[in-house]
Every structure is written in C-alpha cells, then in structure tokens.
C-alpha cells in the first residue's frame, strides 16, 4: 500500500512533468493553437489519473505514469518539430519571394529594340557643311556614333572581344536558322528573348501550314559581318549599372534553301544553288546578370539607303 507521502510525491512529480510540457511549448515559440493542444493533452492525461491517486488504490498502473511522461516529452518534441517546420517553410518561401521581387526589378529582357538601325540618306558635302539642315544632320550623326562608342566601351570593361563575339554571333546565326528550319521550338527558346520566341513560333507555324519540310544550309565562312549600332538600355534609374546592351550586326552569307510539300516534292528554292543573303540581327545581353549570354532579340529588314 502506498503511503500518503509517496502519493503526494508522485502527484507533484506528475504535475511538474505536465508543466514542463506546457512551458516547453511556450518557450519554443509554438503557435497558440499547438500550445493549447499540447497543454490540454497533458492536463487531460494528468486529470484522468488523479482520482486513482487520491483513492489510494493498490496496483496503480505505473505504465500509465510512463505513458504520461512519454506523452509530455512527445508534446515538447512535437512543439519543436512544428516550430522548425514553420522555420523551414519560411526559409523555403523566402528565396521564392525574393526571386519574384528580383524578377520584377531585374527583368530578363526589355522586350524591344532601342533605336532600331536604319541606313542614313547620303548628303552632299556642300549641303552637310554649308547649310543649317546639314549641320543638324551632322550633329545627329555624331550623337549616334558617340552612343555606340560609349556602349562598346562599357562592354569592353566586361571582357568583350569583337573577334570572339563575331564568332559566337555567326554560330548563333547558323544555329537559330537551323532550328527555325527544323521547327525545333524547344531548343530555340534558349537562344532568343521571350518576345522574339513568340514571333518565331508564329513564323514556324505559318511556314508549316504551307511547307511540310525545309532544308537550310549556310556556306561557311560568312562573307561579311560588322557592327552597325550598339545601344545601352537602363532598367533602373537609381542603379546605372543595371543595363542591357544591344548590338546590331549586319551578316552577309551564302545560303542554300529548299522547301518541300507533304509528298516530298520541291516547291520552293534549290539547294544546289548558293544565294547571297543580307540579314540584320540584333543581339542582346544583360550587363548585370552573372553568366548572362547573348540572345537574339530582333531582326531588322534591310532597307536601301535613301538618295
């Protein structure tokens, strides 16, 4: 038979165990809902054993005491687990939210060609230097050239090499044209901007409705490649380093082309003949994204110089 002193000591021990569970859930910073559930669970277990302790019944189920202590410990551990889970969830969400904010601030592409290149009309020497319209035209031409020079100078600080870029541009020119001919939309997405990809998808869809298959080949090396214009586009007024650069290139290359219908018959072109093609492509690159690569952002239809 258990003496009153031992009963009191056991009751005090159990009460402290339940209090530890409650105080742990509070100190661990769990929410009110979880703290309430854990506290109520501990108190409920304690109250269920309390009448038996007061009655002084023999054979008190000590396993119940172990169960209560275990549940109190589990309650504390559950509180830790739930608290850590919230912390992990917050840490997981934070980068996603940060990425969304970053995407809003630092966009992947401006989505347009800034000051698209067009050939300048030729002007006689006397008119350029002895008329007001000639002076205005000369001033405007100088400003255009200074903009290109400034953009190239900024690009060189990032390790730009004209020879290396021209090689990369030619490879991209060949690759993109091949992907367009093959209708490979998935691979094409990586080499062009979002707006350009949308335009090329429509172009491929229109072509596939007329021709079943297309053969395209570029005869290497290219005949001519040169830079017509360079422009910087700022996306943040408070940070002048957040810019995109666009280089407009003229590419003159010999190509072979042939189109087929659903039966495999040639309906356009002749792949046995070389055709000299002049293209004006605009390549774009972010100046503030680490590891950014050049992408095609637009094509300009070549126009003859105005007389």
């Amino acid at each position: 038979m258990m003496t009153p002193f031992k009963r009191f000591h056991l009751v005090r021990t159990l009460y402290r165990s339940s209090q530890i569970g409650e105080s742990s859930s509070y100190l661990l910073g769990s929410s009110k809902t979880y703290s309430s559930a854990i506290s109520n669970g501990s108190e409920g277990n304690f109250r269920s054993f309390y009448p038996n302790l007061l009655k002084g019944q023999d054979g008190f189920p000590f396993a119940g005491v172990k169960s209560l202590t275990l549940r109190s410990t589990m309650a504390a551990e559950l509180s830790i687990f739930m608290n850590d889970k919230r912390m992990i969830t917050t840490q997981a969400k934070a980068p996603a939210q940060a990425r969304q904010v970053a995407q809003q601030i630092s966009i992947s592409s401006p989505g347009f060609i800034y000051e698209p290149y067009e050939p300048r009309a030729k002007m006689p020497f006397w008119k350029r230097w002895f008329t007001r319209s000639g002076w205005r035209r000369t001033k405007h031409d100088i400003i255009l050239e200074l903009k290109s020079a400034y953009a190239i100078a900024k690009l060189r600080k990032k390790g730009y090499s004209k020879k290396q870029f021209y090689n990369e541009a030619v490879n991209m020119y060949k690759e993109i044209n091949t992907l367009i001919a093959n209708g490979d939309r998935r691979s094409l997405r990586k080499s062009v901007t979002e707006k350009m990809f949308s335009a090329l998808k429509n172009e491929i869809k229109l072509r596939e409705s007329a021709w079943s298959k297309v053969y395209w080949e570029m005869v290497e090396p290219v005949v001519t490649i040169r830079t017509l214009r360079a422009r910087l586009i700022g996306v943040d007024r408070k940070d002048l380093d957040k810019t995109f650069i666009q280089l407009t290139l003229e590419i003159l290359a010999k190509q072979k082309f042939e189109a087929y219908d659903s039966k495999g018959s040639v309906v356009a072109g002749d792949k046995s003949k070389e055709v000299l093609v002049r293209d004006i492509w605009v390549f774009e690159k972010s100046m503030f994204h680490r590891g950014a690569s050049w992408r095609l952002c637009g094509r300009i239809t070549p126009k003859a110089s105005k007389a």
Side-chain angles (χ1 to χ4, degrees):
M1 177 163 308
M2 187 176 292
T3 62
F5 177 77
K6 290 184 178 180
R7 290 178 190 169
F8 175 76
H9 181 71
L10 182 59
V11 170
R12 187 174 64 177
T13 303
L14 293 175
Y15 178 75
R16 286 181 176 177
S17 298
S18 64
Q19 290 298 311
I20 290 173
E22 294 178 20
S23 61
S24 298
S25 63
Y26 175 77
L27 293 174
L28 288 170
S30 57
S31 65
K32 292 182 179 179
T33 303
Y34 293 123
S35 297
S36 176
I38 293 169
S39 299
N40 292 339
S42 299
E43 291 176 1
N45 290 332
F46 173 74
R47 288 172 182 173
S48 64
F49 288 103
Y50 185 71
N52 296 328
L53 295 175
L54 293 180
K55 289 179 182 178
Q57 295 179 355
D58 294 333
F60 177 79
F62 191 72
V65 179
K66 291 183 178 179
S67 176
L68 178 59
T69 307
L70 178 61
R71 288 178 182 178
S72 299
T73 306
M74 289 177 63
E77 292 177 354
L78 178 62
S79 175
I80 296 174
F81 172 75
M82 297 305 297
N83 190 49
D84 288 345
K85 186 176 181 181
R86 289 198 304 275
M87 290 181 63
I88 294 172
T89 304
T90 303
Q91 292 173 355
K93 286 183 178 178
Q97 294 174 354
R99 285 196 297 269
Q100 291 177 0
V101 174
Q103 288 174 358
Q104 293 176 358
I105 297 175
S106 56
I107 55 180
S108 60
S109 172
F112 64 95
I113 301 175
Y114 178 55
E115 293 186 352
Y117 169 83
E118 60 179 13
R120 305 292 294 168
K122 294 181 180 180
M123 180 175 287
F125 177 82
W126 65 269
K127 187 176 182 179
R128 178 181 288 275
W129 295 106
F130 297 100
T131 63
R132 290 185 178 180
S133 61
W135 294 343
R136 286 194 296 267
R137 165 67 183 277
T138 301
K139 178 182 177 181
H140 183 65
D141 288 348
I142 292 175
I143 291 174
L144 292 178
E145 292 301 323
L146 287 176
K147 285 183 178 180
S148 291
Y150 177 75
I152 294 296
K154 295 286 286 185
L155 187 59
R156 282 175 178 164
K157 292 182 178 180
K158 300 290 184 177
Y160 168 78
S161 167
K162 184 171 73 172
K163 182 178 180 180
Q164 182 179 353
F165 171 68
Y166 280 1
N167 291 333
E168 185 177 353
V170 170
N171 291 332
M172 290 183 63
Y173 178 80
K174 180 180 178 180
E175 179 185 4
I176 292 173
N177 275 313
T178 302
L179 294 175
I180 294 173
N182 296 335
D184 190 347
R185 297 169 178 81
R186 184 175 182 179
S187 300
L188 190 62
R189 183 189 293 271
K190 302 176 184 179
S191 302
V192 301
T193 60
E194 292 75 12
K195 187 174 182 180
M196 191 62 197
F197 178 68
S198 179
L200 291 177
K201 278 199 308 181
N202 295 332
E203 180 180 311
I204 293 173
K205 184 178 180 180
L206 183 62
R207 189 207 67 212
E208 289 177 342
S209 64
W211 300 329
S212 178
K213 187 179 178 181
V214 170
Y215 174 87
W216 182 89
E217 179 187 354
M218 185 185 77
V219 180
E220 299 187 67
V222 296
V223 178
T224 303
I225 179 171
R226 64 180 180 128
T227 303
L228 300 177
R229 178 163 293 180
R231 288 292 181 269
L232 288 175
I233 304 175
V235 295
D236 189 349
R237 293 181 178 179
K238 297 181 180 180
D239 190 350
L240 298 180
D241 290 330
K242 288 186 177 180
T243 58
F244 287 85
I245 186 165
Q246 293 180 350
L247 295 185
T248 302
L249 300 186
E250 178 190 50
I251 302 175
L252 194 64
K254 294 180 180 179
Q255 304 176 12
K256 295 179 180 180
F257 171 81
E258 198 168 80
Y260 311 90
D261 60 14
S262 57
K263 297 180 181 180
S265 302
V266 179
V267 293
D270 185 354
K271 66 179 183 180
S272 63
K273 297 180 180 179
E274 296 179 357
V275 180
L276 188 62
V277 179
R278 177 175 177 253
D279 280 322
I280 297 178
W281 282 24
V282 183
F283 293 91
E284 180 184 276
K285 183 179 181 180
S286 168
M287 299 281 280
F288 59 97
H289 287 108
R290 182 175 297 180
S293 57
W294 290 99
R295 296 191 297 173
L296 174 66
C297 71
R299 296 176 299 181
I300 300 175
T301 303
K303 297 179 181 179
S305 301
K306 299 177 182 179

